Amino acid sequence: MQLKQIASVLALLTISGCSLLQQAPREVEIITKPVQIDIVQPVMPRAIDLKEPKWYVVSDTKIIENCLKDPETKKSNCKLGREDLYPEGYTYLDKFIDDIKKNHGGDIVFVAMTVDDYELMSYNTQEIRRYINQLGEVIVYYRNVTIGDEDAGAVEIKVEKENE
Protein backbone atom coordinates (compact mmCIF):
# COMPACT_ATOMS: atom_id res chain seq x y z
CA MET A 1 0.00 0.00 0.00
CA GLN A 2 2.81 2.30 0.80
CA LEU A 3 4.23 1.58 -2.61
CA LYS A 4 0.95 2.75 -4.16
CA GLN A 5 1.10 6.01 -2.25
CA ILE A 6 4.69 6.67 -3.32
CA ALA A 7 3.81 5.85 -6.93
CA SER A 8 0.76 8.12 -6.90
CA VAL A 9 2.78 11.01 -5.35
CA LEU A 10 5.49 10.56 -7.98
CA ALA A 11 2.88 10.40 -10.71
CA LEU A 12 1.23 13.57 -9.37
CA LEU A 13 4.57 15.39 -9.24
CA THR A 14 5.45 14.20 -12.73
CA ILE A 15 2.12 15.33 -14.18
CA SER A 16 2.06 18.70 -12.46
CA GLY A 17 5.75 19.30 -13.15
CA CYS A 18 7.02 22.72 -12.21
CA SER A 19 3.58 24.30 -12.06
CA LEU A 20 3.69 24.12 -8.33
CA LEU A 21 6.77 26.38 -8.30
CA GLN A 22 5.30 29.64 -9.60
CA GLN A 23 7.66 32.42 -10.72
CA ALA A 24 6.74 35.93 -11.70
CA PRO A 25 6.50 36.28 -15.52
CA ARG A 26 9.49 37.96 -17.17
CA GLU A 27 9.02 41.11 -19.21
CA VAL A 28 9.64 40.53 -22.93
CA GLU A 29 11.79 43.17 -24.59
CA ILE A 30 11.23 43.68 -28.34
CA ILE A 31 14.09 45.28 -30.27
CA THR A 32 13.76 46.27 -33.92
CA LYS A 33 16.92 46.93 -35.91
CA PRO A 34 17.75 46.73 -39.60
CA VAL A 35 19.51 43.63 -40.77
CA GLN A 36 22.00 43.86 -43.63
CA ILE A 37 21.05 41.29 -46.25
CA ASP A 38 23.77 40.09 -48.57
CA ILE A 39 22.27 39.98 -52.07
CA VAL A 40 24.31 38.50 -54.87
CA GLN A 41 24.50 41.16 -57.58
CA PRO A 42 23.98 40.04 -61.15
CA VAL A 43 26.62 40.83 -63.73
CA MET A 44 25.70 43.97 -65.64
CA PRO A 45 24.89 43.31 -69.30
CA ARG A 46 27.50 44.07 -71.89
CA ALA A 47 27.14 47.43 -73.62
CA ILE A 48 25.13 47.42 -76.83
CA ASP A 49 27.47 47.55 -79.80
CA LEU A 50 25.58 49.14 -82.68
CA LYS A 51 27.05 49.51 -86.15
CA GLU A 52 26.18 52.52 -88.28
CA PRO A 53 24.86 51.58 -91.73
CA LYS A 54 25.64 53.56 -94.86
CA TRP A 55 22.73 55.28 -96.52
CA TYR A 56 22.62 56.49 -100.11
CA VAL A 57 20.23 59.10 -101.40
CA VAL A 58 19.92 58.88 -105.16
CA SER A 59 17.82 61.02 -107.46
CA ASP A 60 17.18 61.23 -111.18
CA THR A 61 18.46 64.83 -111.32
CA LYS A 62 20.83 65.47 -114.20
CA ILE A 63 24.45 66.04 -113.20
CA ILE A 64 25.57 69.60 -113.78
CA GLU A 65 29.13 69.34 -114.89
CA ASN A 66 31.70 71.67 -113.49
CA CYS A 67 33.77 73.71 -115.92
CA LEU A 68 37.51 73.97 -115.53
CA LYS A 69 38.84 77.07 -113.76
CA ASP A 70 40.96 79.65 -115.51
CA PRO A 71 44.31 79.69 -113.62
CA GLU A 72 44.64 83.47 -114.00
CA THR A 73 41.14 84.58 -112.97
CA LYS A 74 40.31 81.45 -110.90
CA LYS A 75 36.79 81.53 -112.35
CA SER A 76 35.01 78.68 -114.11
CA ASN A 77 35.34 78.82 -117.89
CA CYS A 78 33.51 76.17 -119.91
CA LYS A 79 35.56 77.09 -123.02
CA LEU A 80 38.57 75.47 -121.31
CA GLY A 81 36.70 72.20 -120.88
CA ARG A 82 34.83 70.25 -118.26
CA GLU A 83 36.12 68.58 -115.08
CA ASP A 84 33.92 65.51 -115.44
CA LEU A 85 33.22 63.91 -118.77
CA TYR A 86 29.67 62.63 -118.29
CA PRO A 87 27.46 61.91 -121.31
CA GLU A 88 24.64 64.35 -122.09
CA GLY A 89 21.63 63.78 -119.80
CA TYR A 90 23.64 61.65 -117.32
CA THR A 91 21.87 61.62 -113.92
CA TYR A 92 22.95 60.94 -110.36
CA LEU A 93 21.00 57.67 -110.55
CA ASP A 94 23.04 56.62 -113.58
CA LYS A 95 26.27 57.55 -111.79
CA PHE A 96 25.21 55.65 -108.65
CA ILE A 97 24.33 52.52 -110.63
CA ASP A 98 27.64 52.66 -112.55
CA ASP A 99 29.64 53.14 -109.32
CA ILE A 100 27.90 50.24 -107.55
CA LYS A 101 28.35 47.94 -110.56
CA LYS A 102 32.03 48.88 -110.75
CA ASN A 103 32.62 48.33 -106.99
CA HIS A 104 30.62 45.09 -106.70
CA GLY A 105 31.38 43.23 -109.90
CA GLY A 106 28.26 44.24 -111.80
CA ASP A 107 25.78 43.10 -109.13
CA ILE A 108 23.22 45.65 -107.99
CA VAL A 109 20.30 45.33 -105.59
CA PHE A 110 18.13 48.14 -104.25
CA VAL A 111 16.55 48.27 -100.81
CA ALA A 112 14.23 51.23 -100.59
CA MET A 113 11.82 52.85 -98.19
CA THR A 114 9.58 55.87 -98.20
CA VAL A 115 10.38 58.98 -96.18
CA ASP A 116 7.45 58.17 -93.84
CA ASP A 117 8.83 54.66 -93.26
CA TYR A 118 12.26 56.12 -92.54
CA GLU A 119 10.71 58.44 -89.95
CA LEU A 120 8.97 55.45 -88.35
CA MET A 121 12.26 53.55 -88.25
CA SER A 122 13.94 56.57 -86.66
CA TYR A 123 11.14 56.85 -84.08
CA ASN A 124 11.40 53.13 -83.25
CA THR A 125 15.16 53.42 -82.79
CA GLN A 126 14.73 56.31 -80.39
CA GLU A 127 12.11 54.35 -78.45
CA ILE A 128 14.48 51.38 -78.11
CA ARG A 129 17.24 53.72 -76.97
CA ARG A 130 14.92 55.41 -74.42
CA TYR A 131 13.77 52.04 -73.08
CA ILE A 132 17.32 50.76 -72.68
CA ASN A 133 18.41 53.96 -70.92
CA GLN A 134 15.47 53.80 -68.50
CA LEU A 135 16.03 50.10 -67.85
CA GLY A 136 19.68 50.85 -67.13
CA GLU A 137 18.71 53.56 -64.65
CA VAL A 138 16.42 51.11 -62.82
CA ILE A 139 19.18 48.50 -62.64
CA VAL A 140 21.69 51.03 -61.38
CA TYR A 141 19.20 52.30 -58.78
CA TYR A 142 18.61 48.83 -57.36
CA ARG A 143 22.32 48.02 -57.43
CA ASN A 144 23.08 51.25 -55.53
CA VAL A 145 20.36 50.51 -52.97
CA THR A 146 21.50 46.94 -52.35
CA ILE A 147 25.27 47.45 -52.59
CA GLY A 148 25.34 50.31 -50.12
CA ASP A 149 28.33 52.65 -50.30
CA GLU A 150 29.65 51.59 -53.71
CA ASP A 151 28.47 53.45 -56.79
CA ALA A 152 27.29 50.93 -59.36
CA GLY A 153 27.92 53.26 -62.29
CA ALA A 154 25.72 53.84 -65.28
CA VAL A 155 24.75 51.77 -68.26
CA GLU A 156 26.10 53.24 -71.44
CA ILE A 157 25.30 52.71 -75.09
CA LYS A 158 28.29 52.54 -77.38
CA VAL A 159 27.81 53.40 -81.05
CA GLU A 160 30.67 52.57 -83.38
CA LYS A 161 30.98 54.31 -86.71
CA GLU A 162 32.58 52.28 -89.44
CA ASN A 163 35.30 53.96 -91.44
CA GLU A 164 34.18 54.94 -94.88
Side-chain angles (χ1 to χ4, degrees):
M1 181 82 174
Q2 196 168 12
L3 191 57
K4 278 186 179 182
Q5 286 177 349
I6 293 174
S8 57
V9 169
L10 283 176
L12 184 63
L13 284 174
T14 305
I15 292 173
S16 64
C18 298
S19 65
L20 298 175
L21 306 171
Q22 291 285 328
Q23 291 182 349
R26 292 188 300 177
E27 191 174 308
V28 177
E29 186 178 332
I30 299 173
I31 300 173
T32 304
K33 63 179 182 177
V35 177
Q36 181 68 29
I37 300 173
D38 291 328
I39 299 174
V40 177
Q41 296 295 321
V43 176
M44 292 296 281
R46 148 181 91 73
I48 295 175
D49 186 17
L50 302 174
K51 305 292 184 202
E52 186 174 325
K54 293 181 182 177
W55 293 91
Y56 301 97
V57 178
V58 182
S59 71
D60 58 354
T61 304
K62 292 182 182 172
I63 296 176
I64 299 172
E65 296 188 57
N66 296 323
C67 298
L68 292 174
K69 291 185 179 181
D70 187 352
E72 294 175 4
T73 62
K74 296 190 179 181
K75 291 186 179 181
S76 295
N77 186 350
C78 290
K79 292 179 184 176
L80 297 174
R82 298 180 309 189
E83 287 183 17
D84 306 311
L85 299 175
Y86 296 118
E88 188 67 32
Y90 198 70
T91 65
Y92 285 101
L93 178 61
D94 297 329
K95 182 179 182 310
F96 176 76
I97 291 172
D98 290 344
D99 289 345
I100 293 295
K101 283 182 180 178
K102 178 181 161 189
N103 293 336
H104 298 284
D107 295 332
I108 187 165
V109 174
F110 284 100
V111 177
M113 67 174 50
T114 65
V115 174
D116 290 339
D117 289 334
Y118 178 79
E119 289 174 358
L120 284 176
M121 184 181 69
S122 176
Y123 173 79
N124 291 340
T125 303
Q126 289 303 315
E127 280 296 299
I128 291 169
R129 188 173 183 174
R130 177 202 52 80
Y131 174 76
I132 291 171
N133 284 334
Q134 289 177 346
L135 184 62
E137 290 172 7
V138 169
I139 291 170
V140 169
Y141 168 77
Y142 280 112
R143 284 181 57 97
N144 286 337
V145 167
T146 57
I147 288 175
D149 295 338
E150 295 180 38
D151 185 21
V155 176
E156 67 180 60
I157 298 174
K158 179 177 130 184
V159 178
E160 232 179 72
K161 293 183 180 180
E162 290 187 20
N163 295 335
E164 295 179 7

